[in-house]
Amino acid sequence: KNEVEQSPQNLTAQEGEFITINCSYSVGISALHWLQQHPGGGIVSLFMLSSGKKKHGRLIATINIQEKHSSLHITASHPRDSAVYICAALPVGNTDKLIFGTGTRLQVFP
Amino acid sequence: NAGVTQTPKFQVLKTGQSMTLQCAQDMNHNSMYWYRQDPGMGLRLIYYSASEGTTDKGEVPNGYNVSRLNKREFSLRLESAAPSQTSVYFCASRLATYTGELFFGEGSRLTVL
């Protein structure tokens, strides 16, 4: 069992739908990252959070430290949101060795 | 700003050949990383450099060496390539350990025949 698990692995949606991607982890963490990888392969950092909630445009990330769970929400999804979304956990006491999930592949159709 | 630049973008090698992947960042970041990405697996850390002059092993260092040439540049060398090293390699950087978002290069797709 991976220390960082994402669900679902694949997700399809119609444009405009509300999307939720989940990330669960089994280790104590000091921070969690959400990343976006587009079909061309480039990876972009979306959020880094250690508590509560962060919002950027149509993207919202939440984390519940006690439940060891984070969610990434996309409101009013658009075809340009189609990408692989990756969560990565930074274990407590470990400054550099992120543990990555295997990603959630999202396709949004017009 | 160019951000993180890595070269080459594509490379095909024969088993036993050597090569170096180059990475440079122009954001004055202290920490730099090399990851590999394989199908069905999360990104895995090969080596990292928390600051200029230091390097440390990550999760999968065997078969690789690194050099932190200066604050800007962090190279990854395969001395004797093996088919198991066929992968997509990403360089990344951030301001310092514990702080801030990661910035990634575009990736280098390496095939070892």
Side-chain angles (χ1 to χ4, degrees), chain A:
Chain A
K1 185 170 165 59
N2 292 337
E3 291 173 294
V4 175
E5 297 271 357
Q6 289 186 236
S7 63
Q9 285 187 303
N10 295 284
L11 186 55
T12 58
Q14 289 296 124
E15 184 173 356
E17 287 185 3
F18 181 83
I19 304 290
T20 296
I21 298 170
N22 297 299
C23 176
S24 297
Y25 50 90
S26 57
V27 296
I29 68 166
S30 56
L32 187 127
H33 294 252
W34 280 101
L35 310 169
Q36 180 190 57
Q37 185 170 24
H38 273 284
I43 300 173
V44 174
S45 177
L46 297 175
F47 297 102
M48 185 182 81
L49 65 167
S50 54
S51 65
K53 177 166 117 174
K54 286 190 175 181
K55 184 175 189 290
H56 182 69
R58 295 179 295 105
L59 301 178
I60 303 165
T62 64
I63 190 167
N64 185 318
I65 295 293
Q66 287 73 28
E67 293 187 5
K68 292 187 165 61
H69 182 268
S70 178
S71 293
L72 177 69
H73 305 287
I74 305 173
T75 61
S77 60
H78 190 276
R80 65 175 174 266
D81 297 325
S82 298
V84 175
Y85 293 84
I86 302 168
C87 70
L90 184 63
V92 171
N94 191 325
T95 58
D96 287 284
K97 295 181 182 178
L98 285 164
I99 305 172
F100 290 82
T102 55
T104 293
R105 184 175 300 275
L106 171 66
Q107 288 186 289
V108 182
F109 294 98

Side-chain angles (χ1 to χ4, degrees), chain B residues 37-105:
Chain B
Q37 186 178 42
D38 301 295
M41 304 185 75
L43 286 155
R44 292 182 292 169
L45 182 64
I46 305 170
Y47 270 94
Y48 66 101
S49 171
S51 61
E52 185 179 356
T54 69
T55 60
D56 283 289
K57 294 178 180 179
E59 183 184 352
V60 288
N62 290 347
Y64 305 95
N65 285 303
V66 290
S67 295
R68 184 75 183 264
L69 303 168
N70 47 54
K71 192 170 186 179
R72 289 188 65 247
E73 297 172 290
F74 187 40
S75 62
L76 178 72
R77 182 159 178 85
L78 287 69
E79 290 291 352
S80 178
S84 61
Q85 294 177 305
T86 294
S87 188
V88 180
Y89 292 85
F90 287 93
C91 178
S93 73
R94 59 176 166 167
L95 181 60
T97 57
Y98 271 131
T99 66
E101 64 183 287
L102 280 165
F103 291 82
F104 285 83

